[in-house]
Amino acid sequence: MSILAYIESKNKKPKKNSFEVVSYAKELSKKLSTELIVLTINIDNHSNLEKYGPNKIISVNDIALNNFDAKTYADVVSQVATKFSISHIVLGGGVDSKYMAPMLSVKLDAGYLSNVVELPSNVEPFTVKRTSFSNKSFCDASILSDNKIISLASNSFSTIENPSNPEIIDFQVKASNSNIKQNSIDLVQGKVTIADADVVVSAGRGLKGPENWSIIEDLAETLGAATACSKPVSDLGWRPHSEHVGQTGKPVSTNLYIAIGISGAIQHLAGVSSSKVKVVINSDPEAPFFKAADYGVVGDAFEVVPELNEKIKAFKAENN
Amino acid sequence: MMNILVCISCVPDTTSKINFTENDTEFDTNGVQFVINPNDEFGLTRAMWFKEQNDANVDVINVGEQENESVLRKALAIGADRAFRINKKASDSFQVAKLIANHIEGAQYDLIIAGRESIDYNGSMVPGMISELLNINFITNCVKLEINGQTVVADREIEGGIETLSCKLPIIIGGQKGLVEESDLKIPNMRGIMQSRQKPLEVVEPPEIQTKTTTNKFYKPEEKNEIKMVDSNDLDTLIDLLHNEAKVI
Ligand SMILES: Cc1cc2nc3c(=O)[nH]c(=O)nc-3n(C[C@H](O)[C@H](O)[C@H](O)COP(=O)(O)OP(=O)(O)OC[C@H]3O[C@@H](n4cnc5c(N)ncnc54)[C@H](O)[C@@H]3O)c2cc1C
């Protein structure tokens, strides 16, 4: 009985949320008095993972695994889980992990809970808190089966340093062939993704038209932020669907969310409310978003946003 | 003729206030209107598109109790041919997946469409579990779906972009907005509503399935602190607050 944390990689390096996943899994392993094994696929340098306390790192390197394929990856994780007598698997909340997890749960006959936000409040039955109703509520849920899988909600657990000197095990797998072929991959270059961003600058219908988005992009660039938008903005074709956030779009769980010209409809708030700090800029003092935010500015976006951008630029220049 | 199954989750309308009863162990359905899960609605419309282009049979299925039938009737009014309700209160994703998989095994579908996630329990589990139970190809976060003969070409939304995948039928899809545009979503018309009353809605009594998870208790999020307002002529104060108080810049 051991804990397995599987972490995603990008360009042969652990993805940003990996340290959160390993920190969580380490605390869980302490709680269950068992060891923590971290599984990496095609990552060449493990030194930054060692800070977070794994007892072992299983390193799988195989060119057949260069492209993520959910079924093949589920197969690899399940081979490792079986070989190392894993009882609990901890995953991050990235799209690839969430794609693979339900397949893995059937393979291992494991109960699976997603969007977990805390360490278990109870180990028998294994009970964790997770989000539900698109962040309008939380619930306690239990896993009844012997094998257990959880995936964490993004940005819900902080990293905890716990330096260790893990044994690194090179592990050979038989990567199964997938029936699904990757034809092409189209990544937007040079932009921060909403999933990776510490800061998200989001704008709504208050911006009046797509031609006005340069003030949003400029502010995002100054802050190293991702850009996002409300649903009508993407439905109108002002911005791509991939920027639509909210209950029916992407969830946002970032450190700083800046909402500009967004009224704060219940469906919008549901998807962004788990962000830690929310700033609202809106010309209407009655906009409902002011009730759900931490800081507010009543004003015209076309005046406030460029000025704020210049001031943050100056502030950054001074403080760096 | 293509045989399509659309899995429909019945969820509270997106404007619903979320409250709980029975000592916070049950969702309070009082005054709540139930609708087709938005992600499933995009899939249903895409299924109707295939039906119009190439002729297809479109079935819809829900695991749930009798009150869900009005939502299934709506799917029939939109144009689905037959509805199945597996008569079981859905309490665990594995149970739902297993019951739908049992139905699929007896029926030979080419294309099965579910939503990326339901907006109530947000599990993101059912289609992936079905795919593994039945060993069918699975593509989730699907924002574009084309079928040509036996060949499927689908776009999957990934972090920072799009991945284009291809495979053969049969397949199960986790759909979302993009599968069709919002403005193309089908709304039932009078004729559809009249016809839906004559269409078959079969209630299936399920076998016992061992559940793997339980939901025990709900909580509302904690109340927010009071907002701090900053004058639009004093943005330096905002920067100061974000830096020194919130520590986010
Ligand atoms: C089934 C369903 C699902 C939905 N899901 C989502 C979802 O996932 N995400 C989502 O965002 N919405 C969703 N919606 C839509 C939601 O109900 C709102 O319609 C939408 O969020 C409003 O977008 P908005 O705030 O950009 O526009 P509006 O509500 O039109 O607000 C525009 C705001 O801009 C302000 N403004 C105008 N001019 C200026 C200016 N010069 N400077 C500053 N401020 C200005 C106005 O005061 C107003 O508050 C959903 C709706 C339904 C029915």
Side-chain angles (χ1 to χ4, degrees), chain A residues 99 133 140 182 186 234 295, chain B residues 120 138 162 216-217 219 245:
Chain A
Y99 186 2
F133 294 95
D140 279 343
Q182 188 189 63
D186 185 8
S234 75
Y295 302 104
Chain B
D120 51 3
F138 169 49
I162 297 282
N216 317 327
K217 192 175 171 64
Y219 308 85
E245 187 179 78

Side-chain angles (χ1 to χ4, degrees), chain A residues 235-246:
Chain A
D235 289 340
L236 289 163
W238 296 359
R239 300 295 293 177
H241 287 318
S242 57
E243 286 195 5
H244 162 195
V245 296

Side-chain angles (χ1 to χ4, degrees), chain A residues 8 15 68 71 94-96 98-99 102-103 105-107 109-115 127 129-145 179-188 193 195 199 223 231 234-235 241-242 244 247-250 255-256 266-267 276-279 290-299 304 307-308 311-312 315 319, chain B residues 12-18 20 27 38-39 94 116-126 128-133 135-141 153 156-168 171 177-178 181-182 211-222 224-233 235-236 238-239 241-243 245-246 248-249:
Chain A
E8 292 183 21
K15 274 195 191 166
F68 172 81
K71 197 172 173 63
V95 293
D96 290 352
K98 285 182 86 171
Y99 186 2
M103 299 163 128
S105 81
V106 170
K107 269 186 198 301
D109 201 14
Y112 164 44
L113 293 172
S114 56
N115 305 340
T127 305
K129 191 168 173 182
R130 61 183 297 275
T131 64
S132 55
F133 294 95
S134 310
N135 289 322
K136 289 179 193 169
S137 72
F138 296 94
C139 60
D140 279 343
S142 302
I143 303 180
L144 310 173
S145 53
N179 295 324
I180 299 182
K181 190 169 137 268
Q182 188 189 63
N183 298 2
S184 62
I185 192 159
D186 185 8
L187 291 177
V188 181
T193 65
V199 181
L223 289 165
K231 176 169 176 285
S234 75
D235 289 340
H241 287 318
S242 57
H244 162 195
Q247 191 170 9
T248 53
K250 284 200 177 65
N255 288 337
L256 173 60
I266 187 168
Q267 299 96 346
K276 298 210 167 98
V277 175
K278 278 154 278 180
V279 175
F290 285 118
K291 294 207 171 60
D294 302 280
Y295 302 104
V297 180
V298 176
V304 175
E307 190 187 331
L308 183 64
K311 284 189 185 292
I312 295 178
F315 171 83
N319 284 272
Chain B
D13 169 37
T14 57
T15 57
S16 305
K17 289 264 182 298
I18 304 298
F20 304 102
F27 174 63
N39 290 314
F94 178 75
R116 168 195 77 184
E117 68 172 15
S118 67
I119 62 164
D120 51 3
Y121 292 94
N122 310 101
S124 311
M125 299 180 189
V126 169
M129 288 177 172
I130 295 173
S131 83
E132 188 65 31
L133 284 166
N135 196 18
I136 312 177
N137 295 329
F138 169 49
I139 295 175
T140 195
N141 291 38
V153 180
R156 176 172 83 102
E157 190 176 43
I158 57 176
E159 280 151 23
I162 297 282
E163 169 185 65
T164 302
L165 302 168
S166 63
C167 66
K168 296 277 178 236
I171 186 171
K177 184 168 97 168
E181 289 299 318
E182 178 86 14
T211 57
K212 291 190 161 64
T213 62
T214 56
T215 298
N216 317 327
K217 192 175 171 64
F218 293 93
Y219 308 85
K220 300 261 220 127
E222 283 166 28
K224 265 249 141 238
N225 292 339
E226 274 287 304
I227 185 167
K228 286 196 180 156
M229 296 303 290
V230 178
D231 194 281
S232 62
N233 295 315
L235 295 175
D236 289 321
L238 179 63
I239 293 173
L241 287 167
L242 293 176
H243 183 67
E245 187 179 78
V248 285
I249 63 169

Side-chain angles (χ1 to χ4, degrees), chain B residues 149-191:
Chain B
Q150 290 298 303
T151 305
V152 179
V153 180
D155 282 359
R156 176 172 83 102
E157 190 176 43
I158 57 176
E159 280 151 23
I162 297 282
E163 169 185 65
T164 302
L165 302 168
S166 63
C167 66
K168 296 277 178 236
L169 292 175
I171 186 171
I172 179 160
I173 293 292
Q176 64 183 59
K177 184 168 97 168
L179 214 42
V180 298
E181 289 299 318
E182 178 86 14
S183 50
D184 293 332
L185 279 180
K186 292 234 180 249
I187 302 162
N189 57 24
M190 223 31 224
R191 191 161 149 261

Side-chain angles (χ1 to χ4, degrees), chain A residues 21-40:
Chain A
V21 174
V22 177
S23 299
Y24 181 100
K26 181 66 186 179
E27 294 304 304
L28 179 62
S29 76
K30 287 186 193 162
K31 224 174 160 134
L32 298 174
S33 316
T34 179
E35 62 170 2
L36 168 62
I37 303 177
V38 171
L39 167 62
T40 68

